[in-house]
Amino acid sequence: MTQQASDSAVTVPCADLPATALLAARLAPHLRPADRVLLDGPLAAGKTAFVALLCQALGIQAVVSSPTYVISHVYPGVAADVVHVDAYRLSGAEEFIDLGLDEVSEQAITLIEWGERVASVIGDHLHLRIEFSAAGDEARVFLLTGHGARWQPVLDVLRTTKGHPA
């Protein structure tokens, strides 16, 4: 797993699912309550799969599934619960606000699939874009971009750990 980065972004190519699990394991220790991670990418890029790997790395025992039709799931965690939202079916940011997840999100790590649809009403967040890679069926390229000062130290660690869990 090699990395390319600018100061506010880190690009991590993952050749297969174990490399993707390693990225999730490297990110997980840096997440804390009230953090928001917005995930984007084409259909079937692996947004829900990454959420499942991240939840596993966070010690969550629940089976993670796509909340496409129910909009959100809450998974009880050890250090913090995880709120998993799928914004695909939402009409936009206003409908996201109407869900009333603010209170629970302040006490949990919130992971939002199709996050670009609601980014305008999300404060500081980590944006994680997943793209397919020509390197193989399981290969993906992850672009992590920090929005807000909170994320710079996280990106710095991801940039320097080069394949080792942080």
Side-chain angles (χ1 to χ4, degrees):
M1 183 167 31
T2 61
Q3 302 170 354
Q4 301 167 347
S6 71
D7 284 345
S8 62
V10 175
T11 301
V12 182
C14 293
D16 52 24
L17 200 53
T20 301
L22 179 59
L23 174 60
R26 290 172 54 210
L27 176 59
H30 303 286
L31 297 178
R32 58 188 187 214
D35 280 349
R36 290 167 178 83
V37 179
L38 280 55
L39 298 95
D40 283 291
L43 283 170
K47 293 176 289 294
T48 301
F50 188 81
V51 168
L53 291 168
L54 191 55
C55 285
Q56 181 181 16
L58 289 165
I60 291 174
Q61 301 296 315
V63 175
V64 173
S65 61
S66 175
T68 299
Y69 295 102
V70 294
I71 309 300
S72 69
H73 292 301
V74 177
Y75 302 113
V78 178
D81 291 347
V82 169
V83 177
H84 180 196
V85 178
D86 189 324
Y88 184 78
R89 298 175 63 84
L90 299 179
S91 61
E94 290 300 317
E95 190 172 0
F96 178 78
I97 291 169
D98 290 344
L99 293 175
L101 296 173
D102 290 349
E103 187 174 310
V104 69
S105 292
E106 290 302 319
Q107 305 302 318
I109 297 164
T110 303
L111 309 174
I112 305 171
E113 295 188 39
W114 302 98
E116 288 176 344
R117 294 174 178 246
V118 299
S120 65
V121 295
I122 304 294
D124 288 1
H125 65 275
L126 180 66
H127 185 246
L128 192 151
R129 176 125 191 114
I130 306 170
E131 292 292 343
F132 291 105
S133 170
D137 290 343
E138 290 185 353
R140 299 292 185 269
V141 176
F142 293 81
L143 175 64
L144 294 90
T145 307
H147 297 270
R150 187 270 179 267
W151 296 104
Q152 192 59 53
V154 175
L155 294 175
D156 290 344
V157 168
L158 292 175
R159 185 177 296 112
T160 59
T161 54
K162 301 212 179 186
H164 302 287

